[in-house]
Amino acid sequence: MIDKFTLFLKLIKDQKLTVQNALMVLVTAAMLETYQYLAFRCPCSPGLNLPYSLISVVFPAILILVLGFSMTRRTWRLATGCCYRGEQGNRNRQDLSGKGMVHVLCSLSAQALLGPFTWIAVALLDGTYYTCAAVEFYRIGSQIPQRDNATVLAWLASMPCGNLSKATPASVRDLQTAVLRELVAHSQLMGWVLVGIVGIATFAVACCRITRSPVGFMQLEYWKAYIEAEQEAFEEATKEHVQELATSNAQKFFTSGVDPSKGFIEPTSESWDAVTHLYTFSPENFYYSVLHEWAASPGKHGSGAGSICETLTFVDGRLPPRQRMDPSDVEELEVLIDENTGREAGV
């Protein structure tokens, strides 16, 4: 039993991307069905059915698309620092040609479009949204010639709600059932056509991409395995290194200037002030935090001119260390204020 479970975990790890895509499809389909059950209510009103149905399908698909891009690590890797312009230019600029940029964007879009495609395809296969949107445009022909166009349009728009009284003739009930059944069939046909076209196109693109591989199949598999192992090793080494750096800086702060013979001594107020002011980024002296700057620059504390607006730097209401007044300056300022106050009183 344990061997089978281990084999199952290994299969999931080997097919991680496929499992992720399958979970994305299942979660999106479940979200659509939940939304339809809890929130979607066709207004059954002429002129309102179409925009309500379109918004209910298109807007969630756009939100899922944005979420798909935001959940991709490569998106943030490309976007980070792409608009930064320092003295040495954009150090984070990706040296990609037009063809390379198109390739990267297509690769990102292919992964991000899975969720919106699933949402739209399941909505079409369900038929409820399309029926609500298209029912008022159904050509009823001459089956009810005694009615004017406005009455027929209102009746058609109300079909998804099924608001028919018991006195409604059986022929009208049968006509409504036939219209709704036909619209559901149209929706499902479009849904399956969309699934087939996207599936064939995806397979064709994957085949064309694999045929242009610069290495063989076994070496390509080795390459993929190495990239995954390298990423895991880098993340583990990063955690260990940042933990060591943070621990070293914190210990240096609490042990700096402490005489072991005098026992435990708390940091001075000046030390606390040095690591309390707001952090500003400086490309000349790159530090990750105020404490990091304090530990790396003994005797020269306080953040230099950074790239954060000064009004944001002083949101705590305090002056930064480099702008604080000496006690003598404060006394002179108080004397000047007292003199001006006395003159105004004399006047």
Side-chain angles (χ1 to χ4, degrees):
M1 185 67 181
I2 298 178
D3 294 338
K4 293 182 179 179
F5 183 71
T6 304
L7 181 63
F8 177 72
L9 293 179
K10 184 178 182 299
L11 178 62
I12 292 178
K13 185 177 180 180
D14 294 340
Q15 302 294 331
K16 183 170 62 175
L17 182 59
T18 303
V19 173
Q20 290 178 353
N21 293 338
L23 288 177
M24 173 66 74
V25 171
L26 293 177
V27 170
T28 304
M31 289 172 56
L32 176 69
E33 294 298 328
T34 303
Y35 169 73
Q36 177 183 335
Y37 177 77
L38 296 178
F40 183 80
R41 298 292 183 272
C42 184
C44 297
S45 175
L48 189 58
N49 286 7
L50 179 60
Y52 179 81
S53 301
L54 286 178
I55 290 176
S56 299
V57 174
V58 175
F59 275 29
I62 295 175
L63 293 178
I64 296 174
L65 177 64
V66 175
L67 182 63
F69 276 111
S70 64
M71 293 178 62
T72 304
R73 186 185 182 92
R74 293 178 65 187
T75 301
W76 304 114
R77 186 172 184 176
L78 290 173
T80 301
C82 63
C83 297
Y84 175 75
R85 294 294 183 272
E87 295 180 356
Q88 299 177 355
N90 186 1
R91 65 181 63 184
N92 295 325
R93 179 176 57 86
Q94 301 290 333
D95 294 327
L96 294 175
S97 61
K99 184 178 180 180
M101 181 60 69
V102 171
H103 175 75
V104 172
L105 292 178
C106 290
S107 178
L108 290 175
S109 301
Q111 187 69 21
L113 285 172
L114 178 62
F117 163 73
T118 302
W119 181 275
I120 295 175
V122 175
L124 289 174
L125 292 175
D126 182 84
T128 303
Y129 300 89
Y130 178 81
T131 300
C132 178
V135 65
E136 61 183 287
F137 302 100
Y138 184 85
R139 295 185 178 181
I140 202 69
S142 58
Q143 301 182 48
I144 45 176
Q146 70 277 13
R147 301 292 183 180
D148 56 82
N149 292 334
T151 304
V152 172
L153 184 62
W155 177 65
L156 288 173
S158 64
M159 276 188 179
C161 298
N163 297 327
L164 294 179
S165 62
K166 296 182 179 180
T168 304
S171 59
V172 177
R173 292 177 178 273
D174 295 340
L175 178 60
Q176 175 176 318
T177 302
V179 170
L180 294 179
R181 186 185 298 114
E182 182 177 346
L183 291 176
V184 171
H186 291 169
S187 178
Q188 292 178 347
L189 283 174
M190 289 188 293
W192 283 119
V193 169
L194 177 63
V195 171
I197 292 176
V198 173
I200 294 174
T202 303
F203 178 75
V205 171
C207 291
C208 293
R209 183 177 181 182
I210 202 69
T211 56
R212 299 175 63 86
S213 174
V215 297
F217 177 78
M218 297 302 295
Q219 189 175 0
L220 183 61
E221 293 295 315
Y222 176 83
W223 194 348
K224 294 178 181 178
Y226 168 77
I227 293 298
E228 294 181 0
E230 181 188 72
Q231 184 64 35
E232 294 178 358
F234 183 80
E235 291 178 356
E236 293 178 0
T238 299
K239 293 179 181 179
E240 295 176 359
H241 182 76
V242 298
Q243 184 63 38
E244 293 176 359
L245 179 61
T247 302
S248 175
N249 292 338
Q251 290 179 350
K252 187 174 182 179
F253 174 75
F254 285 103
T255 59
S256 178
V258 176
D259 188 357
S261 62
K262 297 181 180 180
F264 184 81
I265 300 177
E266 290 284 351
T268 62
S269 298
E270 290 76 10
S271 298
W272 283 113
D273 290 339
V275 298
T276 302
H277 64 80
L278 297 176
Y279 169 76
T280 55
F281 173 78
S282 176
E284 290 78 14
N285 300 314
F286 187 84
Y287 301 107
Y288 294 105
S289 67
V290 177
L291 180 60
H292 184 204
E293 180 184 6
W294 183 93
S297 305
K300 186 182 179 182
H301 308 316
S303 180
S307 59
I308 299 179
C309 181
E310 294 293 323
T311 56
L312 298 179
T313 307
F314 309 142
V315 290
D316 57 354
R318 299 187 308 111
L319 290 174
R322 63 179 183 275
Q323 292 185 2
R324 290 177 183 168
M325 295 183 179
D326 295 333
S328 59
D329 296 334
V330 175
E331 294 177 358
E332 293 178 2
L333 181 59
E334 291 177 350
V335 171
L336 292 175
I337 294 175
D338 292 340
E339 293 178 354
N340 292 333
T341 304
R343 291 175 183 176
E344 293 177 357
V347 174

